[in-house]
Amino acid sequence: MQLGIIGLGTMGANLARNAARNGANVFLYNRTTEKTDEFMKEFGSDGRFVPCNSLKDLVSGMDGARSILIMVKAGKAVDAVINDLVPLLSSSDNIIDGGNSLFTDTNRREKELKDNNINFLGLGISGGEEGALNGPSIMPGGSKDAYKNLEPLLQAMAADDGESGKCVSYLGNGGAGHFVKMVHNGIEYGVMQLIAEVYAVLKNVGKLSNSELADVFYNWCKDDGMSSYLLEITAEIFTKKDEDGSDLIDKIKDKAGQKGTGKWTTQSALNFGVAIPTINSSVDARILSGSEEGRVENSKFTLTIEDYCDLPPKDKLISLAKNAYKLSLLTTYSQGFDLLKKASKEENWNLDLSEIARLWRGGCIIRSAVLSIFQKKYLSDELISQDTLEKIINIYKDEPQRNWRKFISIAISNGIPIPALSSSITWFDALRTEKLPQNLIQAQRDFFGAHEYERIGEEGQFHTNWNNQVK
């Protein structure tokens, strides 16, 4: 098997090493030759690598049907590389985009390249630099022929799913793979924000030390239903010391960046008409964190603490936090799968949601024990299996749900911003509420704009002349 790789940044370099370890003859090209030289000097003995000084050298050096993986910044750079490649390729060659491209760009590129008899595959890849090297979760979409050509190598490169399978599977045509990866990243935003909010409450209200916080998250990882990669690394973060021996976490600025996939998830949800409030609020939280100057200025405002919200003992607060996090975690994944389901129908992708849950159980950033619930939930055409339904009901009812509400009340009463936690429970409450107040909104819209409304138990649209009733 041979594979061309264009772009030797951290992800591209580690995928090249992964492919070589799994028997591929890897042809390398980077726009700056120094990067290629550095790679060969450090990793050249890891496998069969062929450094190339130009795209023409890379293409001409490969025999038979070529498969070329592009690992450059999403957007115009991908189009530029494709435009340079196409004149050099032959019919039935394969171009693969392994970056975080917007799925609509992947839809367009597959169509354009198909017109040139070239196969195009949009490859969602999750796992960070470690996953790229040792086994990522891979989400392919686009040309099925291109996937079939690469399947043996991708199977070898991908992470194990914990069930004797590999975390790679063809998902659908066009931008299906990149859409699934985008939603993965949206869920990632949500889960990271939930953990950050729990941390904020335990640290600022419960007065837990960093050492105690590390123990909390380590212990949660031991829970069969809660273990996850993000909890594991969070526990590690609280133990990391700076060079002077102090806790590194306390020296990091509270300003979080983003590269766009969270924003795209929010925009896509709006376009498809799917409510994902936990993910949306997590994107907003990162934006708000950038308002550093305003936050410092506004911190002078007095906080009014509600006396009725008594603070429980530390161990009880940790128990409340655990339930609040777990239930909010379930709503976050649920929102992501709702978006996948709606997009699949609109785009005619026929996504296998159970298979996606399986792909996310290894290698990727959002790998978590809770994914087993969703893997079972979507295993058949039935809405939900009985055992899974009972499991979710048992999680949500009685004490866990009371703890969820109590923890959120404590946070709000103490002035701790918790947009993701509060959005999660609001989403849950909206879905379990038989009658929402949107009847009033319908009346308001009809009042000022004659937009009409529906009546209970009657067919058709109705309009009322409201103005003559105003006094």
Side-chain angles (χ1 to χ4, degrees), residues 441-457:
I441 292 175
Q442 290 291 76
Q444 291 169 332
R445 293 180 73 246
D446 189 57
F447 191 116
F448 65 70
H451 294 295
E452 300 184 331
Y453 56 88
E454 295 177 87
R455 295 176 67 100
I456 298 171

PDB file of all heavy atoms in Angstrom, residues 441-457:
ATOM      1  N   ILE A 441     -46.340  33.251  22.520  1.00  0.00           N
ATOM      2  CA  ILE A 441     -45.507  33.799  21.445  1.00  0.00           C
ATOM      3  C   ILE A 441     -46.268  33.790  20.123  1.00  0.00           C
ATOM      4  O   ILE A 441     -46.188  34.734  19.328  1.00  0.00           O
ATOM      5  CB  ILE A 441     -44.182  33.018  21.348  1.00  0.00           C
ATOM      6  CG1 ILE A 441     -43.324  33.296  22.597  1.00  0.00           C
ATOM      7  CG2 ILE A 441     -43.419  33.384  20.078  1.00  0.00           C
ATOM      8  CD1 ILE A 441     -42.063  32.493  22.671  1.00  0.00           C
ATOM      9  N   GLN A 442     -47.011  32.709  19.881  1.00  0.00           N
ATOM     10  CA  GLN A 442     -47.825  32.654  18.667  1.00  0.00           C
ATOM     11  C   GLN A 442     -48.843  33.787  18.645  1.00  0.00           C
ATOM     12  O   GLN A 442     -49.092  34.406  17.611  1.00  0.00           O
ATOM     13  CB  GLN A 442     -48.537  31.302  18.581  1.00  0.00           C
ATOM     14  CG  GLN A 442     -47.610  30.135  18.292  1.00  0.00           C
ATOM     15  CD  GLN A 442     -47.048  30.203  16.891  1.00  0.00           C
ATOM     16  OE1 GLN A 442     -46.146  30.991  16.611  1.00  0.00           O
ATOM     17  NE2 GLN A 442     -47.569  29.382  15.997  1.00  0.00           N
ATOM     18  N   ALA A 443     -49.467  34.066  19.803  1.00  0.00           N
ATOM     19  CA  ALA A 443     -50.440  35.159  19.891  1.00  0.00           C
ATOM     20  C   ALA A 443     -49.760  36.507  19.654  1.00  0.00           C
ATOM     21  O   ALA A 443     -50.292  37.378  18.940  1.00  0.00           O
ATOM     22  CB  ALA A 443     -51.122  35.141  21.257  1.00  0.00           C
ATOM     23  N   GLN A 444     -48.576  36.700  20.232  1.00  0.00           N
ATOM     24  CA  GLN A 444     -47.840  37.956  20.039  1.00  0.00           C
ATOM     25  C   GLN A 444     -47.491  38.171  18.564  1.00  0.00           C
ATOM     26  O   GLN A 444     -47.633  39.284  18.033  1.00  0.00           O
ATOM     27  CB  GLN A 444     -46.562  37.936  20.880  1.00  0.00           C
ATOM     28  CG  GLN A 444     -46.801  38.009  22.386  1.00  0.00           C
ATOM     29  CD  GLN A 444     -45.541  37.714  23.179  1.00  0.00           C
ATOM     30  OE1 GLN A 444     -44.668  36.981  22.717  1.00  0.00           O
ATOM     31  NE2 GLN A 444     -45.442  38.276  24.378  1.00  0.00           N
ATOM     32  N   ARG A 445     -47.032  37.114  17.905  1.00  0.00           N
ATOM     33  CA  ARG A 445     -46.665  37.221  16.490  1.00  0.00           C
ATOM     34  C   ARG A 445     -47.880  37.568  15.639  1.00  0.00           C
ATOM     35  O   ARG A 445     -47.788  38.368  14.688  1.00  0.00           O
ATOM     36  CB  ARG A 445     -46.039  35.912  15.998  1.00  0.00           C
ATOM     37  CG  ARG A 445     -44.697  35.581  16.629  1.00  0.00           C
ATOM     38  CD  ARG A 445     -44.128  34.267  16.107  1.00  0.00           C
ATOM     39  NE  ARG A 445     -43.641  34.384  14.728  1.00  0.00           N
ATOM     40  CZ  ARG A 445     -44.181  33.768  13.691  1.00  0.00           C
ATOM     41  NH1 ARG A 445     -45.238  32.975  13.862  1.00  0.00           N
ATOM     42  NH2 ARG A 445     -43.691  33.927  12.479  1.00  0.00           N
ATOM     43  N   ASP A 446     -49.008  36.974  15.979  1.00  0.00           N
ATOM     44  CA  ASP A 446     -50.220  37.283  15.235  1.00  0.00           C
ATOM     45  C   ASP A 446     -50.684  38.706  15.520  1.00  0.00           C
ATOM     46  O   ASP A 446     -51.177  39.400  14.637  1.00  0.00           O
ATOM     47  CB  ASP A 446     -51.320  36.289  15.596  1.00  0.00           C
ATOM     48  CG  ASP A 446     -52.534  36.427  14.692  1.00  0.00           C
ATOM     49  OD1 ASP A 446     -52.377  36.302  13.462  1.00  0.00           O
ATOM     50  OD2 ASP A 446     -53.645  36.698  15.213  1.00  0.00           O
ATOM     51  N   PHE A 447     -50.487  39.165  16.761  1.00  0.00           N
ATOM     52  CA  PHE A 447     -50.898  40.512  17.161  1.00  0.00           C
ATOM     53  C   PHE A 447     -50.166  41.573  16.348  1.00  0.00           C
ATOM     54  O   PHE A 447     -50.775  42.464  15.752  1.00  0.00           O
ATOM     55  CB  PHE A 447     -50.637  40.711  18.665  1.00  0.00           C
ATOM     56  CG  PHE A 447     -51.255  41.940  19.255  1.00  0.00           C
ATOM     57  CD1 PHE A 447     -52.241  41.836  20.218  1.00  0.00           C
ATOM     58  CD2 PHE A 447     -50.842  43.215  18.866  1.00  0.00           C
ATOM     59  CE1 PHE A 447     -52.820  42.971  20.770  1.00  0.00           C
ATOM     60  CE2 PHE A 447     -51.407  44.350  19.415  1.00  0.00           C
ATOM     61  CZ  PHE A 447     -52.406  44.228  20.368  1.00  0.00           C
ATOM     62  N   PHE A 448     -48.816  41.488  16.316  1.00  0.00           N
ATOM     63  CA  PHE A 448     -48.074  42.578  15.678  1.00  0.00           C
ATOM     64  C   PHE A 448     -47.776  42.339  14.200  1.00  0.00           C
ATOM     65  O   PHE A 448     -47.442  43.277  13.471  1.00  0.00           O
ATOM     66  CB  PHE A 448     -46.762  42.884  16.422  1.00  0.00           C
ATOM     67  CG  PHE A 448     -45.730  41.792  16.405  1.00  0.00           C
ATOM     68  CD1 PHE A 448     -45.033  41.434  15.264  1.00  0.00           C
ATOM     69  CD2 PHE A 448     -45.415  41.120  17.594  1.00  0.00           C
ATOM     70  CE1 PHE A 448     -44.073  40.445  15.272  1.00  0.00           C
ATOM     71  CE2 PHE A 448     -44.453  40.126  17.606  1.00  0.00           C
ATOM     72  CZ  PHE A 448     -43.775  39.786  16.449  1.00  0.00           C
ATOM     73  N   GLY A 449     -47.906  41.080  13.740  1.00  0.00           N
ATOM     74  CA  GLY A 449     -47.530  40.814  12.360  1.00  0.00           C
ATOM     75  C   GLY A 449     -48.517  40.007  11.564  1.00  0.00           C
ATOM     76  O   GLY A 449     -48.232  39.630  10.422  1.00  0.00           O
ATOM     77  N   ALA A 450     -49.671  39.694  12.156  1.00  0.00           N
ATOM     78  CA  ALA A 450     -50.694  38.890  11.469  1.00  0.00           C
ATOM     79  C   ALA A 450     -50.104  37.593  10.906  1.00  0.00           C
ATOM     80  O   ALA A 450     -50.394  37.188   9.784  1.00  0.00           O
ATOM     81  CB  ALA A 450     -51.350  39.708  10.348  1.00  0.00           C
ATOM     82  N   HIS A 451     -49.225  36.940  11.705  1.00  0.00           N
ATOM     83  CA  HIS A 451     -48.564  35.715  11.253  1.00  0.00           C
ATOM     84  C   HIS A 451     -49.435  34.474  11.397  1.00  0.00           C
ATOM     85  O   HIS A 451     -49.033  33.386  10.980  1.00  0.00           O
ATOM     86  CB  HIS A 451     -47.261  35.511  12.046  1.00  0.00           C
ATOM     87  CG  HIS A 451     -46.230  36.556  11.763  1.00  0.00           C
ATOM     88  ND1 HIS A 451     -45.640  36.698  10.530  1.00  0.00           N
ATOM     89  CD2 HIS A 451     -45.694  37.526  12.543  1.00  0.00           C
ATOM     90  CE1 HIS A 451     -44.771  37.698  10.558  1.00  0.00           C
ATOM     91  NE2 HIS A 451     -44.783  38.225  11.772  1.00  0.00           N
ATOM     92  N   GLU A 452     -50.603  34.643  12.008  1.00  0.00           N
ATOM     93  CA  GLU A 452     -51.567  33.561  12.224  1.00  0.00           C
ATOM     94  C   GLU A 452     -51.071  32.560  13.265  1.00  0.00           C
ATOM     95  O   GLU A 452     -49.900  32.569  13.659  1.00  0.00           O
ATOM     96  CB  GLU A 452     -51.906  32.850  10.916  1.00  0.00           C
ATOM     97  CG  GLU A 452     -52.522  33.784   9.865  1.00  0.00           C
ATOM     98  CD  GLU A 452     -52.939  33.047   8.609  1.00  0.00           C
ATOM     99  OE1 GLU A 452     -52.314  31.997   8.280  1.00  0.00           O
ATOM    100  OE2 GLU A 452     -53.898  33.476   7.955  1.00  0.00           O
ATOM    101  N   TYR A 453     -51.968  31.704  13.697  1.00  0.00           N
ATOM    102  CA  TYR A 453     -51.638  30.712  14.717  1.00  0.00           C
ATOM    103  C   TYR A 453     -52.539  29.497  14.536  1.00  0.00           C
ATOM    104  O   TYR A 453     -53.551  29.548  13.813  1.00  0.00           O
ATOM    105  CB  TYR A 453     -51.817  31.291  16.124  1.00  0.00           C
ATOM    106  CG  TYR A 453     -53.205  31.843  16.397  1.00  0.00           C
ATOM    107  CD1 TYR A 453     -54.220  31.020  16.894  1.00  0.00           C
ATOM    108  CD2 TYR A 453     -53.497  33.173  16.154  1.00  0.00           C
ATOM    109  CE1 TYR A 453     -55.493  31.522  17.133  1.00  0.00           C
ATOM    110  CE2 TYR A 453     -54.762  33.693  16.385  1.00  0.00           C
ATOM    111  CZ  TYR A 453     -55.762  32.859  16.877  1.00  0.00           C
ATOM    112  OH  TYR A 453     -57.020  33.345  17.101  1.00  0.00           O
ATOM    113  N   GLU A 454     -52.164  28.401  15.165  1.00  0.00           N
ATOM    114  CA  GLU A 454     -52.981  27.188  15.164  1.00  0.00           C
ATOM    115  C   GLU A 454     -53.782  27.117  16.454  1.00  0.00           C
ATOM    116  O   GLU A 454     -53.322  27.567  17.510  1.00  0.00           O
ATOM    117  CB  GLU A 454     -52.095  25.949  15.024  1.00  0.00           C
ATOM    118  CG  GLU A 454     -51.357  25.865  13.694  1.00  0.00           C
ATOM    119  CD  GLU A 454     -50.445  24.654  13.626  1.00  0.00           C
ATOM    120  OE1 GLU A 454     -50.934  23.566  13.242  1.00  0.00           O
ATOM    121  OE2 GLU A 454     -49.258  24.793  13.975  1.00  0.00           O
ATOM    122  N   ARG A 455     -54.967  26.509  16.389  1.00  0.00           N
ATOM    123  CA  ARG A 455     -55.821  26.345  17.567  1.00  0.00           C
ATOM    124  C   ARG A 455     -55.849  24.878  17.973  1.00  0.00           C
ATOM    125  O   ARG A 455     -55.770  23.981  17.121  1.00  0.00           O
ATOM    126  CB  ARG A 455     -57.236  26.835  17.293  1.00  0.00           C
ATOM    127  CG  ARG A 455     -57.340  28.332  17.031  1.00  0.00           C
ATOM    128  CD  ARG A 455     -58.755  28.725  16.663  1.00  0.00           C
ATOM    129  NE  ARG A 455     -59.646  28.557  17.789  1.00  0.00           N
ATOM    130  CZ  ARG A 455     -60.051  29.552  18.588  1.00  0.00           C
ATOM    131  NH1 ARG A 455     -59.627  30.800  18.364  1.00  0.00           N
ATOM    132  NH2 ARG A 455     -60.879  29.323  19.593  1.00  0.00           N
ATOM    133  N   ILE A 456     -55.975  24.642  19.254  1.00  0.00           N
ATOM    134  CA  ILE A 456     -56.021  23.280  19.777  1.00  0.00           C
ATOM    135  C   ILE A 456     -57.277  22.569  19.272  1.00  0.00           C
ATOM    136  O   ILE A 456     -58.395  23.078  19.409  1.00  0.00           O
ATOM    137  CB  ILE A 456     -56.013  23.291  21.320  1.00  0.00           C
ATOM    138  CG1 ILE A 456     -54.703  23.924  21.828  1.00  0.00           C
ATOM    139  CG2 ILE A 456     -56.176  21.876  21.874  1.00  0.00           C
ATOM    140  CD1 ILE A 456     -54.679  24.170  23.318  1.00  0.00           C
ATOM    141  N   GLY A 457     -57.081  21.418  18.659  1.00  0.00           N
ATOM    142  CA  GLY A 457     -58.198  20.597  18.220  1.00  0.00           C
ATOM    143  C   GLY A 457     -58.892  21.070  16.961  1.00  0.00           C
ATOM    144  O   GLY A 457     -59.951  20.556  16.605  1.00  0.00           O
TER     145      GLY A 457
END
